[in-house]
């Protein structure tokens, strides 16, 4: 980062010009991703600057914490100042006694108290019914084995702080949380970006995905210890779950923001300013498609024209791309993959089939640039 913010103009558009009572209901969904979720703070700042007032917040894990903070009235400026002073000891303190005395029966590697304290600092007291802005928080009932969405009917009369803690309670890292009469763990276990349930209450969604947009190459994971192996496996599982929802997304229209944070570790405390800036820039740029998204009956935005290319020398004919995207890919007589149509209009959710290629033989490139460039995660 060079410290200079690149100004991206966002249109005032029909949404900003409309009277408040005539504006569509826009929900904001913030996904899980450990400390990468600090990028959500920058996303909230971009929304504030654009004059967007969400009628609903929803989140998972750190996304639930920041969504609850926003629903509590915390501004992006306030959250930025708090994040600047955030240190490892504020969250991660080894559960020495539990690990020593209980060994494999210990509930977690880290103590519960620091995470509880963080929830209390950022989230107002009260139940979901007491919050002025509707809030949804995902978690998983570990005893019943079912996903939960606190804030929905039947799951509102519980303390918001308890629900947020549970949504952040990454299994093995933090102890499960008790919410009402349920023992719960991290909501990302089953739904890391809860757009489906949030869609029931709004006309359009803006979702910020900081954790599961891609699973990039990571060498040496097996030698980096339990935490790295666990997080890598969890990322792969959550990516597949999330992609399945996006592949079948119909309505309401969804503006999917994916800040480019894959190069930052999930537990890095040294990239706070960069994460906030990346979230801000990505959201500000994506908002350039807000009016187009709101005018559509459904689908995922922003959209742009891309070209699909296959390196025949690398293609082994495994057919994974065809099985993943039969409407886009096929095998020729030589059992080499080829695109049925080379040029398509894609959203940020549409290139998963290319990432599934074990030989990296498929490239999805922007087709309108003077020089073709490989498509990274959309912003």
């Amino acid at each position: 980062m060079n410290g200079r913010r690149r100004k991206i103009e966002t249109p005032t558009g029909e949404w900003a010009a409309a009277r408040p009572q005539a504006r569509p209901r826009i929900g904001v969904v913030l996904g899980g991703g450990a400390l990468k979720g600090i990028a959500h703070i920058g996303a909230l700042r971009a929304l504030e600057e654009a004059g967007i007032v969400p009628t609903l917040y929803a989140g998972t894990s750190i996304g639930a914490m920041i969504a609850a903070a926003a629903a509590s009235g915390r501004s992006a400026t306030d959250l930025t100042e708090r994040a600047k002073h955030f240190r490892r000891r504020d969250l991660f303190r080894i559960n020495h006694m539990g690990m020593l005395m209980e060994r494999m029966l210990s509930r977690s590697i880290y103590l519960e108290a620091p995470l509880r304290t963080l929830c209390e600092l950022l989230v107002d007291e009260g139940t979901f019914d007491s919050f002025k802005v509707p809030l949804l928080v995902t978690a998983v009932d570990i005893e019943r084995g079912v996903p939960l969405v606190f804030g929905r009917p039947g799951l509102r009369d519980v303390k918001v702080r308890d629900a947020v803690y549970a949504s952040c309670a990454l299994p093995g890292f933090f102890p499960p949380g008790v919410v009402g009469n349920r023992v719960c763990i991290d909501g990302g276990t089953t739904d890391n970006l809860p757009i489906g349930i949030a869609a029931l209450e709004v006309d359009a969604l803006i979702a910020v995905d900081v954790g599961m947009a891609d699973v990039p190459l990571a060498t040496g994971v097996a030698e980096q210890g339990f935490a790295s192996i666990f997080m890598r496996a969890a990322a792969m599982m959550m990516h597949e779950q999330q992609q399945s929802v996006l592949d079948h997304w119909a309505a309401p229209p969804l503006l999917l923001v994916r800040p480019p944070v894959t190069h930052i570790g999930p537990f890095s405390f040294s990239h706070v300013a960069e994460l906030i800036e990346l979230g801000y820039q990505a959201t500000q740029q994506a908002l350039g498609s807000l009016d187009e998204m709101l005018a559509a009956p459904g689908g995922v935005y922003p959209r742009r024209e891309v070209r699909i290319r296959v390196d025949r020398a690398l293609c082994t004919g495994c057919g994974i791309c065809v099985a993943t995207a039969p409407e886009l890919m096929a095998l020729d007589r030589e059992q080499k993959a080829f695109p049925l149509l080379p040029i398509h209009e894609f959203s940020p959710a549409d290139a998963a089939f290319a990432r599934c290629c074990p030989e990296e033989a498929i490239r999805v490139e922007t087709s309108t640039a003077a020089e073709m460039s490989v498509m990274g995660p959309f912003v």
Side-chain angles (χ1 to χ4, degrees):
M1 303 296 293
N2 59 13
R4 298 177 61 187
R5 178 171 292 116
R6 179 169 58 92
K7 180 65 175 177
I8 301 174
E9 297 296 335
T10 55
T12 54
E14 296 181 2
W15 187 89
R19 292 176 298 175
Q21 60 268 32
R23 293 174 180 172
R25 299 169 301 163
I26 296 180
V28 170
V29 180
L30 306 179
L35 293 183
K36 294 182 182 184
I38 291 173
H40 290 317
I41 298 173
L44 291 178
R45 179 184 173 189
L47 296 178
E48 289 178 7
E49 290 183 359
I52 295 173
V53 181
T55 59
L56 169 80
Y57 288 99
T60 294
S61 197
I62 190 171
M65 182 177 291
I66 295 178
S72 297
R74 307 285 191 273
S75 68
T77 300
D78 179 28
L79 293 174
T80 297
E81 288 304 310
R82 291 174 182 269
K84 287 179 180 178
H85 302 288
F86 194 42
R87 299 293 182 267
R88 181 173 295 274
R89 64 178 178 273
D90 297 327
L91 183 59
F92 296 121
R93 296 181 193 171
I94 297 292
N95 180 18
H96 291 290
M97 187 61 68
M99 298 292 288
L100 176 64
M101 301 299 293
E102 299 173 333
R103 298 181 182 273
M104 292 301 293
L105 292 179
S106 176
R107 296 193 303 160
S108 64
I109 297 173
Y110 298 109
L111 293 172
E112 177 178 334
L115 180 56
R116 285 280 184 188
T117 299
L118 187 59
C119 292
E120 292 169 1
L121 287 173
L122 296 180
V123 181
D124 282 353
E125 285 190 277
T127 66
F128 285 84
D129 283 320
S130 67
F131 273 50
K132 294 181 179 179
V133 181
L135 171 68
L136 302 178
V137 171
T138 67
V140 174
D141 185 326
I142 194 171
E143 294 181 338
R144 296 175 175 86
V146 296
L148 303 170
V149 183
F150 293 104
R152 289 291 295 168
L155 293 170
R156 299 182 59 83
D157 191 22
V158 296
K159 295 180 180 179
V160 175
R161 288 176 176 175
D162 287 347
V164 170
Y165 171 86
S167 188
C168 295
L170 187 64
F173 286 73
F174 294 100
V178 177
V179 188
N181 63 347
R182 299 173 183 269
V183 180
C184 302
I185 59 173
D186 194 325
T189 307
T190 59
D191 193 355
N192 201 56
L193 190 70
I195 53 178
I197 193 69
L200 299 178
E201 302 189 25
V202 296
D203 302 310
L205 286 171
I206 298 174
V208 185
D209 175 15
V210 296
M212 303 305 139
D214 199 2
V215 185
L217 177 67
T219 58
V221 174
E223 287 74 44
Q224 294 173 12
F226 159 78
S228 293
I229 296 171
F230 178 89
M231 288 303 296
R232 180 67 173 178
M236 294 167 65
M237 290 186 291
M238 288 187 282
H239 170 75
E240 291 302 315
Q241 292 169 352
Q242 182 173 303
Q243 188 60 45
S244 177
V245 175
L246 291 169
D247 284 343
H248 299 91
W249 189 261
L254 167 67
L255 190 70
L256 182 59
V257 183
R258 283 178 163 169
V261 296
T262 55
H263 64 290
I264 298 175
F267 301 120
S268 173
F269 285 79
S270 59
H271 295 83
V272 169
E274 181 183 1
L275 283 165
I276 294 173
E277 181 68 13
L278 289 172
Y280 174 80
Q281 292 285 354
T283 305
Q284 194 182 47
Q285 184 172 340
L287 287 174
S289 299
L290 179 65
D291 290 340
E292 178 188 7
M293 183 267 285
L294 292 175
V300 183
Y301 292 81
R303 306 188 69 82
R304 65 185 181 191
E305 194 174 81
V306 300
R307 181 182 296 273
I308 303 172
R309 296 181 183 272
V310 178
D311 187 329
R312 292 178 62 84
L314 293 177
C315 178
T316 62
C318 69
I320 293 177
C321 61
V322 180
T324 305
E327 73 283 3
L328 297 175
M329 305 297 293
L331 294 175
D332 62 19
R333 293 180 180 179
E334 297 178 5
Q335 294 299 292
K336 298 288 186 178
F338 71 95
L340 295 173
L341 290 173
I343 297 179
H344 291 268
E345 187 181 71
F346 269 17
S347 80
D350 290 332
F353 73 94
R355 302 185 185 105
C356 290
C357 178
E359 302 300 328
E360 299 182 350
I362 304 173
R363 296 165 68 87
V364 179
E365 307 167 322
T366 56
S367 64
T368 55
E371 294 184 4
M372 304 295 289
S373 60
V374 178
M375 187 188 74
F378 279 40
V379 293

